Amino acid sequence: MVKQTKKAATWSLVIMGAGFAASLPFHGSIAGKIFVGAFEAGLVGGLADWFAVTALFRHPLGLKIPHTALLPKNRDKMTDGLVSAVENNLLNKESISAKISGIPISEMILEMAEKELQSEGTKGAIDIIAKRIVATLPLERIAPLVANEMKRQIGEMDVSSLLSKAEQQITSKGYDKIALDYGLDQAEAWLTKPEALYTLGEIGMKALNSVQVNGLMQFAMNALMGYLNEERLGGILQRFLYEQVQDLKYEGHPNRHQVLAGIRGQLIRLAHSDKVVAGLSDWKDSLLENWDAEMTVLHKLQELRDRALVYMEDGKYVSEHVLPIIESLISEVKANDELIQRINEKIVNSVTHLVEHNHSKIGTLVRENVDRMDNETLIEMIEDKVGQDLQWIRINGAVTGFLIGVVLTVLQILLV
């Protein structure tokens, strides 16, 4: 387009020159005088504007006429003016900060994140990053930290307090009743077995034979021993114990309340026994001293990592677990107006600080880009952008000169 306009401007000058030459033989007539004056003024106007436009960029006809080739001669001034305009007018610090402060940056980032979360590219990136993080966790460094903290926590544990809490939990949760019922169920199951009768009979007979009495008591004991045998005595003991078990299993039986009270009393005594507390403390310290906690924790962490990688293999965890967590966090942030405002203020302050410390680099960048171009390249770039309008100046100069020439010639004819 610029080349076409340049050709048109050149043709306008050629036409004026040709018209002036063609009209000279007819300058004796009125019409000839008008055409001679018009084409002469058009030629002068076209040449003057050609000279002016050309003088902006280079020496006309290569002649080093003063005050021509203005752009190459004043390149440094032009660059300084351009840098000053960019730094102080177009991209000054105040305008940048004001513009940024009016942009809801955090809201834009959150909305963009919400839209991008469901894309396959984002899901794939999250999957790759998550697997990479899990696979490269420095477990050898983490294990000692975890192990030392575990040993410290266990070492500082108060055994007495732990026993008191255990006693309270056993009582409040009814574990004493559960333990008693379990023991009674086991006793009932054993008592109903056939071999229980003979075992009880054998134990009972041994107990009776060990009794030492004299006189009438010895006579009565001998008579009883003559009547009893292991089977009879075992049956008596079996029925008696079975009835006792049934009584203890009944919630309202006083014997059950007494047994439970005895169990709870023993628990309380154990919880406050200095001997028990000291023994458990020694056992705990000995266990910690001989426990290779670091290796145990390392093996457990490696096991957990392997399980996690197997679980993460198909990538479904991203949509099922990771994305809902991220979406929930984004929703919470968006709903917190105070937090949004603080984030925006932080962003504005950070950008303003960055601009303040690097604002001069904007001008430096402009200067470097301009200095990187030689004169011919710079002239071509400017001509490419504004050359079309400059060539129209030449055309307008020729046409305007032609019209002015017509007017002046007509006035001259009329006044002479």
Side-chain angles (χ1 to χ4, degrees):
M1 183 65 73
V2 176
K3 291 182 178 180
Q4 294 177 355
T5 308
K6 190 173 183 179
K7 287 181 179 179
T10 302
W11 275 108
S12 68
L13 191 59
V14 170
I15 291 171
M16 293 301 162
F20 174 71
S23 61
L24 282 176
F26 307 98
H27 72 281
S29 64
I30 294 175
K33 289 181 179 181
I34 293 174
F35 278 110
V36 170
F39 282 115
E40 182 182 11
L43 180 60
V44 172
L47 287 172
D49 285 341
W50 166 81
F51 184 89
V53 170
T54 303
L56 287 174
F57 303 104
R58 53 185 65 85
H59 295 296
L61 301 176
L63 302 175
K64 295 185 178 182
I65 302 171
H67 306 294
T68 59
L70 299 180
L71 180 61
K73 289 182 179 179
N74 295 277
R75 175 170 178 158
D76 291 338
K77 293 180 180 179
M78 184 193 71
T79 303
D80 292 340
L82 179 61
V83 171
S84 177
V86 170
E87 289 183 344
N88 300 318
N89 300 107
L90 302 178
L91 294 176
N92 60 73
K93 292 182 286 186
E94 292 75 14
S95 64
I96 295 175
S97 300
K99 189 66 175 178
I100 293 174
S101 62
I103 301 175
I105 300 176
S106 57
E107 291 91 334
M108 294 170 59
I109 293 174
L110 292 173
E111 290 177 2
M112 182 177 63
E114 281 185 321
K115 292 179 182 179
E116 291 296 327
L117 273 180
Q118 299 303 326
S119 68
E120 294 301 322
T122 301
K123 293 179 182 178
I126 293 174
D127 182 37
I128 293 173
I129 294 172
K131 289 177 179 176
R132 181 65 176 171
I133 292 174
V134 173
T136 58
L137 282 174
L139 301 184
E140 293 77 8
R141 297 181 182 179
I142 298 174
L145 300 176
V146 177
N148 291 335
E149 183 61 21
M150 289 177 62
K151 293 181 75 171
R152 186 185 70 80
Q153 293 285 348
I154 296 173
E156 294 177 356
M157 190 180 297
D158 185 3
V159 175
S160 177
S161 176
L162 185 63
L163 287 174
S164 297
K165 291 179 180 179
E167 179 269 323
Q168 293 172 4
Q169 286 292 315
I170 290 172
T171 303
S172 62
K173 300 293 184 181
Y175 294 139
D176 52 346
K177 294 180 181 180
I178 295 173
L180 176 60
D181 290 335
Y182 177 79
L184 293 174
D185 289 338
Q186 295 299 314
E188 181 181 18
W190 182 78
L191 287 171
T192 56
K193 293 180 179 180
E195 60 267 21
L197 183 145
Y198 295 101
T199 301
L200 290 172
E202 183 180 354
I203 294 172
M205 291 300 293
K206 287 182 179 180
L208 289 175
N209 288 327
S210 64
V211 176
Q212 299 293 328
V213 292
N214 296 315
L216 292 175
M217 289 299 296
Q218 182 64 45
F219 177 77
M221 181 63 72
N222 291 335
L224 180 62
M225 293 295 292
Y227 168 77
L228 293 174
N229 57 31
E230 291 182 353
E231 183 177 356
R232 289 178 179 176
L233 182 58
I236 294 171
L237 293 174
Q238 186 182 38
R239 287 190 295 275
F240 172 76
L241 293 175
Y242 186 82
E243 290 173 358
Q244 294 299 314
V245 168
Q246 297 306 313
D247 290 342
L248 291 173
K249 293 179 73 175
Y250 176 58
E251 284 289 342
H253 201 281
N255 289 344
R256 180 180 177 86
H257 292 301
Q258 291 179 1
V259 172
L260 288 173
I263 293 174
R264 291 166 182 168
Q266 288 297 326
L267 289 173
I268 294 173
R269 282 189 289 274
L270 282 173
H272 294 84
S273 173
D274 294 337
K275 187 176 181 179
V276 172
V277 171
L280 289 176
S281 297
D282 292 340
W283 173 78
K284 178 193 69 175
D285 294 339
S286 176
L287 178 65
L288 290 176
E289 184 177 352
N290 297 314
W291 179 35
D292 189 359
E294 182 175 333
M295 191 58 63
T296 302
V297 171
L298 179 59
H299 288 162
K300 183 57 64 177
L301 290 176
Q302 290 173 339
E303 180 182 344
L304 290 174
R305 179 174 63 185
D306 293 340
R307 289 183 180 179
L309 290 174
V310 171
Y311 175 75
M312 298 166 68
E313 188 172 354
D314 57 7
K316 293 181 179 179
Y317 72 96
V318 176
S319 298
E320 294 175 355
H321 301 291
V322 178
L323 291 186
I325 293 174
I326 297 176
E327 289 172 348
S328 177
L329 289 174
I330 292 176
S331 298
E332 290 180 7
V333 173
K334 290 178 66 176
N336 193 331
D337 295 335
E338 183 180 351
L339 179 59
I340 289 290
Q341 184 177 355
R342 289 205 304 269
I343 294 174
N344 281 333
E345 290 176 354
K346 186 66 175 177
I347 293 174
V348 171
N349 292 335
S350 299
V351 174
T352 302
H353 180 76
L354 182 65
V355 169
E356 289 178 350
H357 284 76
N358 297 278
H359 187 258
S360 60
K361 293 182 180 179
I362 298 175
T364 302
L365 179 63
V366 173
R367 187 182 298 278
E368 289 177 352
N369 289 331
V370 173
D371 291 342
R372 214 177 268 123
M373 294 182 288
D374 56 27
N375 288 339
E376 290 299 324
T377 304
L378 182 60
I379 291 171
E380 288 179 5
M381 184 187 72
I382 296 176
E383 284 185 325
D384 183 63
K385 301 302 180 183
V386 299
Q388 184 174 354
D389 293 329
L390 291 176
Q391 297 307 320
W392 273 107
I393 291 176
R394 293 173 58 189
I395 296 172
N396 292 336
V399 174
T400 302
F402 180 86
L403 296 175
I404 293 173
V406 171
V407 173
L408 292 178
T409 304
V410 169
L411 290 175
Q412 185 180 9
I413 295 172
L414 293 175
L415 294 175
V416 173

